[in-house]
Amino acid sequence: MNHTYVIIMAGGVGTRFWPFSRTSYPKQFHDVLGTGRTLLQQTADRFDGVCPPEHIYIVTSALYKNLCQEQLPQLTDDQVLCEPIARNTAPCIAYACYKIAQRDPQANIIVAPADHIILKEEEFKRTIRTALDATAEQDILVTLGIQPSRPDTGYGYIQYVSDEGTEESGSAVRKVKSFMEKPNLDLARQFVDSGEFVWNAGIFVWNVQAIISAFTTHLPEVAEIFEEGKAAYYTNNEKAFIDKAYSLTKSISIDNGVMEKAHNVYVVLSDFGWSDLGTWKSLYEASDKNADQNVVDGHVMLYDTKNCIIKTPKNRLVAINGLDGFIVAEYDNVLMICRKEDEQKVKAFVADAKEQGTEFV
């Protein structure tokens, strides 16, 4: 029997991708890369051959249940887990892991966000299998660490012990020494130069007993809440139980709540063309560019324009002259024009747009 399961976290709004990503239609449900598949669909496709389709679980907001089932019609109601309120990643992961444990106590689980891109799919699968082999044999918590190509300040970092790995997988799986928050540029340079740090991809692998044990030890109040749901999972009582559970649980990330505290954490050193696609600039960097270093998706005429990312509706002709290093994004009656280097201001735009009316956010 295949004991491999996948949990896809698909509940975020992706504010930094406004106006494209909205509360009613977040970025994971869009075809951001112009491939004909949305980010959510691409994420599910990625695990083809890794686990059976019936072992893929999506955790999302109750608002997005229909979107998930429209885009992944193979999923049953039991495979779409609806959170009544956002409580960060620890409760989201706990819900799915405790539910899966009820069905398969030998489950070996991959947890992945719905909005990442991975360019080297086969290398990704090979890396995932390395992690699965390690977690099938040992009660360890594994995270994927991306070999850094530059001193990026937008990612968290993982420091690993270079000469301490698991017995089964040797050098590929390393003991984690510490997790570091997003650094400033000087610190990021030191991390990269040391050769002891990788980017934290936020993709996890563990067997279900290891993660339940970790919740029991490090987040006992979360463990207690979701343990009580044993009789409710896969029944008509599940929704009522989860509504109550989420009203009781605190908002905390899996990194802060478990990974940074546990002593059995390992990292698989990885290089599979990864981006978390968190911002317009990261989309620009991950996309194909024309001769003027522009990324264009839309019906666009460009003049004396370079180093821009332009994403506009196909049914609107857009003429642009004289821009260098800008984001031009239009979606559903909102147009944003912003310097790429000022993309951190997008969150402020969203806050101000709320005052103009909820239909704009």
Side-chain angles (χ1 to χ4, degrees), residues 256-277:
N256 292 151
V258 173
M259 302 300 281
E260 291 168 11
K261 297 175 181 173
H263 300 295
N264 59 335
V265 180
Y266 288 76
V267 61
V268 178
L269 308 184
S270 312
D271 184 8
F272 41 70
W274 170 87
S275 168
D276 75 344
L277 220 56

Side-chain angles (χ1 to χ4, degrees), residues 307-329:
N307 306 311
C308 291
I309 178 163
I310 299 148
K311 199 165 179 64
T312 55
K314 300 279 194 292
N315 60 356
R316 187 188 301 280
L317 179 61
V318 177
I320 295 175
N321 179 71
L323 290 188
D324 183 356
F326 273 78
I327 304 159
V328 179

Side-chain angles (χ1 to χ4, degrees), residues 68-292:
C68 286
Q69 291 185 311
E70 282 168 21
Q71 296 196 358
L72 298 172
Q74 69 271 31
L75 299 180
T76 65
D77 281 347
D78 269 328
Q79 290 172 267
V80 183
L81 282 57
C82 295
E83 298 184 287
I85 42 179
R87 280 289 183 260
N88 213 318
T89 53
C92 153
I93 289 168
Y95 175 16
C97 287
Y98 277 88
K99 179 168 177 169
I100 290 168
Q102 182 66 7
R103 178 156 286 183
D104 184 357
Q106 293 177 264
N108 209 6
I109 298 172
I110 304 153
V111 180
D115 55 359
H116 291 185
I117 62 163
I118 285 161
L119 301 176
K120 304 175 190 171
E121 298 274 350
E122 288 308 311
E123 179 61 19
F124 173 75
K125 286 184 179 180
R126 191 194 66 74
T127 305
I128 284 289
R129 288 190 176 107
T130 296
L132 287 168
D133 288 346
T135 56
E137 297 295 328
Q138 302 160 87
D139 289 341
I140 58 175
L141 309 177
V142 172
T143 184
L144 302 193
I146 308 300
Q147 299 283 9
S149 56
R150 60 188 181 276
D152 200 298
T153 59
Y155 300 138
Y157 284 72
I158 300 168
Q159 184 180 23
Y160 62 92
V161 183
S162 56
D163 58 353
E164 197 175 332
T166 65
E167 291 175 20
E168 284 77 10
S169 48
S171 61
V173 185
R174 296 294 195 182
K175 186 91 168 64
V176 168
K177 189 173 181 180
S178 62
F179 287 84
M180 311 297 286
E181 297 294 327
K182 296 172 183 176
N184 61 36
L185 189 56
D186 283 345
L187 202 51
R189 285 199 184 104
Q190 289 175 41
F191 288 171
V192 174
D193 290 346
S194 76
E196 294 176 7
F197 289 82
V198 284
W199 291 334
N200 186 353
I203 301 169
F204 308 103
V205 184
W206 42 56
N207 71 60
V208 77
Q209 301 306 329
I211 190 61
I212 284 176
S213 174
F215 275 120
T216 303
T217 303
H218 304 294
L219 284 176
E221 64 281 19
V222 172
E224 190 178 336
I225 288 166
F226 289 98
E227 183 75 30
E228 283 179 13
K230 274 185 173 179
Y233 300 130
Y234 301 100
T235 75
N236 293 333
N237 299 326
E238 184 173 331
K239 183 184 183 301
F241 166 75
I242 287 300
D243 286 350
K244 182 186 172 193
Y246 269 73
S247 71
L248 298 172
T249 190
K250 63 182 177 182
S251 179
I252 187 168
S253 72
I254 195 74
D255 285 304
N256 292 151
V258 173
M259 302 300 281
E260 291 168 11
K261 297 175 181 173
H263 300 295
N264 59 335
V265 180
Y266 288 76
V267 61
V268 178
L269 308 184
S270 312
D271 184 8
F272 41 70
W274 170 87
S275 168
D276 75 344
L277 220 56
T279 62
W280 282 107
K281 195 173 175 184
S282 65
L283 177 58
Y284 173 81
E285 287 167 355
S287 300
D288 293 334
K289 300 164 189 67
N290 65 16
D292 293 317

Side-chain angles (χ1 to χ4, degrees), residues 35-56:
T35 62
R37 300 287 280 171
T38 67
L39 291 176
L40 174 64
Q41 289 170 325
Q42 286 188 315
T43 305
D45 294 347
R46 201 166 288 144
F47 296 102
D48 186 34
V50 174
C51 79
E54 62 271 20
H55 286 190
I56 292 179

